[in-house]
Amino acid sequence: MAVTAAPVRATPSLRNTIQRGLRTAPPTAIAAAFRLAEAEAEAAVEPEFRTAAGPFGEASRLLLLLPAALLAAAVVAARRVWAPTAPAPVAMMAVTTAEIDAKFPPLKNDGVLRAIRGQPVDRIPVWVMRQAGRYLPEYVDYTKDKEFFSRCQDPEVACTLTLQPFERYDLDAGIIFSDILVIPQALGMEVKMIKGQGPVFPEALRTREQWYKIERDLLARVGVSGIPDAEQVDHVVAHAAKLADALSYVYDAITLTRTRLNGRAPLIGFCGSPWTLFVYAVEAKKTKTYTEVSKMIFTDPEFVHRILKVMAHVCAEYLIRQVKAGAQMLQVFDSHANVLPPKQWREFSLPYLTLIAELVKKECPDIPMIVLPKDAPFALEFLTDSPYDMVSIDPTLDLGKSHAKLLAAGKGVQGNMSPTTMYAPTAKVTELVTEYLADAFGDGSEIPKRYIANLGSGMNPDMDPANLGAFVEAIHAFGKKK
Ligand code: 1CP
């Protein structure tokens, strides 16, 4: 009888049956087990039976494959015992904001929270981006001998800087003094804030080998080693909560600041979007072309997704910890949303923004969340049915139309006066703000629902502090009977 050299293979249906039974095992382990089992079975079969169908047809083939199947199951089971698979994240008890509120002084001004929930407010609430910053002489004076990230890492300093603008303005929210780049730092990347240049990563993130090492080092921090490169990512994700411990200085700053705010206004916690953090880490310094991230998304999208997945899980855990430390609302900055064409934004940013909000809301169901897709007007329509409560819009969008659109979707709008307004003479600022609100909302006979006023990208170092005072007052005056 002619003997063919056709290798023995598990039939697809048999393979499926076993795979269904072993769904909890990682696919790579199952594939490896099958390869091993097939080789074993083939070696054990007498040569005359090694034909495509065998002398007794398909039945004998299945019979021959039984030991292979059993062996596959045994190998998978053994692997699970000897090499631990990524643990399932520990289910946490959901925490309500009321439980956290009980630990802090009562809130005297809840305007922003009421606006996010769609409750009536007696004035438009307002805060601005970079309200703690170099436009304030007291900020310059207090920080002159303190390196940028050391300010973020010292809760006393971060608290002082967050509270400084409250000495001057009747603000409706404070944002904790920190930076979006503390996450890459916490993941083990070096970030320097260089005067005149902004953030710089001395080692740009460009290769899989660099990222695998970052994952390996993160796992070593939580006592896990010996995981193959391909499987590391799931282990890192499973340990995201523990990895967020590295940012305990932010949580301490939040607790201290909320206590010292003494209920004057809610405190905002924040993080950067995974995509935005990825851009900073890969480009490494200021860029106008975004060459490196663009090359990466079009040549190795799977690798990009792997990084974004880790970032998203760590961001979510970081935000959850900020809430537990006292943050009363959260904002996610997708500051580099504009780098992506709309289709690619839907692939590389939106799913991770959504994942963050879902993970946070699972554990902190009633925490208000705002998302800022900067300079990406196309993003608005995709955020109307996202888990975010409010979208922060930039000055490229029409306030009235965006507000109506989001209101119809049960969400609110934050934004979006152009910061260039702050270069007008102080008296003119009042006029411009009144006009801008009237254009969007009419004569002011009603205070718009679900609206928080804000100022584009915020205050620049060369802006007059008096103009922010005029801005805040004019916002508050809108809709008030003269
Ligand atoms: O009041 C506040 O807003 C202070 C807290 C805060 C926030 C919310 C700071 C302090 N940074 C941020 C967020 C942040 N950081 C964003 C998102 C907001 C945005 O899109 O503008 C971004 C992109 C960063 C990264 C960053 N930090 C840059 C680069 C900006 C760019 O164009 O790429 C720079 C220059 C910084 C430094 C920084 N962070 C914060 C301040 C006050 C400063 C300026 C440095 C200083 O005043 O000493």
Side-chain angles (χ1 to χ4, degrees):
M1 195 181 80
V3 173
T4 66
V8 178
R9 289 274 175 264
T11 58
S13 65
L14 183 60
R15 195 181 277 259
N16 286 346
T17 310
I18 297 166
Q19 276 184 332
R20 256 202 310 278
L22 298 169
R23 197 157 274 158
T24 48
T28 45
I30 292 177
F34 261 105
R35 275 197 302 278
L36 246 168
E38 281 168 359
E40 289 284 327
E42 194 176 348
V45 170
E46 293 299 319
E48 61 266 36
F49 287 105
R50 283 194 220 156
T51 60
F56 309 111
E58 185 65 13
S60 73
R61 227 178 106 71
L62 282 177
L63 212 71
L64 288 173
L65 280 164
L66 201 63
L70 291 174
L71 190 64
V75 171
V76 170
R79 264 203 72 125
R80 263 194 260 151
V81 175
W82 293 320
T85 53
V90 182
M92 302 262 188
M93 291 272 287
V95 58
T96 63
T97 48
E99 287 169 64
I100 298 161
D101 290 350
K103 299 182 208 158
F104 291 99
L107 190 56
K108 291 169 249 176
N109 169 5
D110 62 352
V112 288
L113 301 181
R114 294 182 68 79
I116 295 179
R117 292 189 211 115
Q119 296 165 332
V121 286
D122 56 10
R123 64 184 192 184
I124 295 175
V126 56
W127 68 279
V128 299
M129 315 272 185
R130 285 189 255 155
Q131 65 189 22
R134 275 181 292 156
Y135 75 101
L136 288 176
E138 56 272 34
Y139 176 96
V140 175
D141 185 51
Y142 186 75
T143 57
K144 59 180 183 285
D145 56 352
K146 299 175 183 74
E147 183 276 325
F148 180 77
F149 285 111
S150 77
R151 301 172 208 164
C152 304
Q153 287 155 8
D154 183 333
E156 187 65 42
V157 174
C159 172
T160 302
L161 293 173
T162 308
L163 297 181
Q164 275 182 347
F166 281 87
E167 295 306 311
R168 287 177 180 256
Y169 313 112
D170 186 10
L171 293 160
D172 296 299
I175 185 160
I176 190 66
F177 186 87
S178 183
D179 201 85
I180 60 168
L181 298 170
V182 298
I183 290 257
Q185 283 182 332
L187 294 178
M189 295 176 225
E190 193 188 347
V191 189
K192 289 181 173 162
M193 194 62 76
I194 298 178
K195 225 182 157 133
Q197 278 189 60
V200 172
F201 286 60
E203 191 192 344
L205 172 62
R206 299 281 162 82
T207 67
R208 280 180 175 261
E209 285 62 40
Q210 283 173 299
W211 180 252
Y212 295 160
K213 181 171 183 317
I214 287 174
E215 287 181 346
R216 224 174 1 261
D217 291 347
L218 290 172
L219 289 176
R221 254 195 245 168
V222 292
V224 176
S225 60
I227 309 290
D229 287 347
E231 290 165 35
Q232 275 181 173
V233 59
D234 293 330
H235 289 260
V236 174
V237 165
H239 286 98
K242 190 88 195 98
L243 294 170
D245 283 353
L247 292 158
S248 60
Y249 61 85
V250 178
Y251 318 136
D252 292 345
I254 287 175
T255 305
L256 181 66
T257 307
R258 178 155 174 196
T259 307
R260 293 223 184 121
L261 259 172
N262 198 25
R264 268 180 84 160
L267 183 61
I268 305 171
F270 70 92
C271 73
S273 75
W275 168 253
T276 294
L277 299 177
F278 172 80
V279 173
Y280 277 110
V282 170
E283 294 295 340
K285 56 182 177 6
K286 249 196 175 16
T287 169
K288 285 200 172 99
T289 54
Y290 298 95
T291 310
E292 300 302 330
V293 286
S294 306
K295 281 183 182 167
M296 257 160 128
I297 62 167
F298 295 121
T299 54
D300 196 356
E302 193 203 326
F303 174 42
V304 177
H305 282 297
R306 179 172 175 149
I307 299 172
L308 296 173
K309 183 175 169 185
V310 168
M311 298 267 193
H313 281 270
V314 175
C315 284
E317 295 298 338
Y318 174 53
L319 291 177
I320 291 166
R321 294 283 292 275
Q322 292 187 52
V323 174
K324 290 181 178 172
Q328 288 146 291
M329 56 192 249
L330 299 171
Q331 179 152 324
V332 180
F333 290 95
D334 195 7
S335 304
H336 284 318
N338 60 325
V339 174
L340 289 165
K343 186 165 185 283
Q344 280 70 25
W345 179 82
R346 282 180 1 241
E347 178 181 346
F348 293 99
S349 194
L350 180 60
Y352 300 99
L353 291 170
T354 307
L355 178 62
I356 289 175
E358 283 171 353
L359 291 168
V360 170
K361 295 226 170 188
K362 207 153 128 193
E363 210 164 323
C364 311
D366 61 351
I367 192 74
M369 291 187 78
I370 304 178
V371 59
L372 174 113
K374 199 163 159 188
D375 298 332
F378 58 79
L380 198 62
E381 66 175 294
F382 298 102
L383 292 165
T384 50
D385 61 355
S386 79
Y388 288 89
D389 304 283
M390 201 173 242
V391 182
S392 194
I393 60 168
D394 57 70
T396 61
L397 278 159
D398 180 273
L399 176 60
K401 285 185 192 151
S402 308
H403 180 253
K405 188 171 183 156
L406 281 162
L407 212 55
K411 300 195 187 294
V413 162
Q414 177 178 269
N416 71 337
M417 185 131 200
S418 168
T420 52
T421 313
M422 290 293 128
Y423 292 117
T426 309
K428 181 84 178 167
V429 169
T430 310
E431 196 184 305
L432 289 168
V433 171
T434 311
E435 205 176 88
Y436 146 87
L437 291 174
D439 282 351
F441 303 119
D443 62 3
S445 53
E446 267 181 64
I447 297 177
K449 261 195 171 178
R450 293 191 195 268
Y451 174 59
I452 298 174
N454 208 304
L455 189 64
S457 52
M459 295 298 284
N460 294 335
D462 60 355
M463 286 171 175
D464 181 351
N467 286 6
L468 181 53
F471 174 76
V472 170
E473 277 174 32
I475 297 281
H476 283 162
F478 184 77
K480 288 270 159 77
K481 300 275 172 295
K482 299 276 165 359

